[in-house]
Amino acid sequence: MGFKLDGPVLGGALVRLEPLEHRHAADLAVAVVEGRGSYSFTWVPRAHEVGDYIDAQLARAATGRLAPYAQVSVASGRAVGATSYWEPRCWRSDDRLDAVEVGFTWLASSAQGTGINAEAKLLLFRHAFEEWGVSRVDLKTDARNERSRAAIESVGARFEGVLRNWSRSWAPGEEGKLRDSAIFSVTAGEWPECRARLEERVAGFLDRHGSDRKPSAS
């Protein structure tokens, strides 16, 4: 496969997705200690592990199979979480990208429910469908993670099923064990409706905070 993931900066009104670098480490070390109650099934480093976490993501990026981002709050200018493009798949002979996953996503507790997640998905999906021309975007989570499953469905992805023993578990005490993964997707045919839904959600958050900013067109 000739295609290698290389995610550009993606800017919105609430969040700016910047390629993950060590300059984000100090902000992320603060973000991860705000409250960890929603991280039970998710790979989120402890404050002292952030440097190693960034190294691990950059090592994956070097293979061309991951494009990691810091989620930067536009309001504060601080990194408040992370996300990534992951697992590019090309099935045709011209090395065009056919499908990609959005994953490795987490947000500081104070950034949850603020519209940052919705706009980040809008930016990631829009780039994948409209710039790369993918046929589908995947999202996966631990099948037991009801909170994450609800968040994924809220951005317009459709549940496709559970893949048994699909990947390593990140749950405490389950080191070396495998988890069942719930898989969701948005297809190219569904994207226009999904885009409209996400834009409406982001606009609602902007209105709620008395802002006249609109999501960027880039």
Side-chain angles (χ1 to χ4, degrees), residues 10 12 14-17 69-72 82-83 85 102 105 107 115-127 155 198 202:
L10 301 174
L14 298 169
V15 65
R16 184 173 63 258
L17 301 180
Y69 282 103
Q71 300 196 65
V72 178
T83 192
Y85 286 121
V102 169
T105 300
L107 281 172
I116 284 178
N117 179 60
E119 189 173 45
K121 295 302 190 294
L122 172 61
L123 296 171
L124 291 164
F125 292 175
R126 184 167 61 198
H127 187 78
V155 299
L198 284 170
V202 172

Side-chain angles (χ1 to χ4, degrees), residues 143-162:
R144 300 166 293 179
N145 192 341
E146 296 296 336
R147 181 183 182 130
S148 179
R149 290 175 67 156
I152 291 171
E153 289 184 326
S154 76
V155 299
R158 294 192 182 186
F159 174 62
E160 293 188 333
V162 173

Side-chain angles (χ1 to χ4, degrees), residues 30-180:
V30 172
V32 298
V33 299
E34 285 188 0
R36 299 184 62 87
S38 63
Y39 300 157
S40 299
F41 300 103
T42 307
W43 181 36
V44 180
R46 301 281 178 175
H48 68 280
E49 298 170 333
V50 167
D52 290 340
Y53 168 85
I54 294 174
D55 284 338
Q57 293 297 72
L58 294 180
R60 288 181 172 90
T63 70
R65 296 178 58 236
L66 181 83
Y69 282 103
Q71 300 196 65
V72 178
S73 165
V74 170
S76 69
R78 298 180 64 86
V80 294
T83 192
S84 296
Y85 286 121
W86 172 234
E87 294 285 16
R89 299 187 299 287
C90 302
W91 297 305
R92 290 169 288 194
S93 60
D94 57 5
D95 283 328
R96 285 182 295 165
L97 186 64
D98 290 300
V100 70
E101 183 174 336
V102 169
F104 291 101
T105 300
W106 60 271
L107 281 172
S109 60
S110 63
Q112 296 173 22
T114 64
I116 284 178
N117 179 60
E119 189 173 45
K121 295 302 190 294
L122 172 61
L123 296 171
L124 291 164
F125 292 175
R126 184 167 61 198
H127 187 78
F129 285 115
E130 299 179 14
E131 298 300 325
W132 287 335
V134 301
S135 295
R136 62 178 280 145
V137 172
D138 304 337
L139 302 97
K140 293 198 297 288
T141 188
D142 191 304
R144 300 166 293 179
N145 192 341
E146 296 296 336
R147 181 183 182 130
S148 179
R149 290 175 67 156
I152 291 171
E153 289 184 326
S154 76
V155 299
R158 294 192 182 186
F159 174 62
E160 293 188 333
V162 173
L163 304 172
R164 297 179 297 167
N165 290 345
W166 183 254
S167 62
R168 67 172 291 182
S169 173
W170 299 105
E174 294 188 358
E175 291 78 8
K177 295 185 178 181
L178 297 176
R179 77 177 197 189
D180 294 347

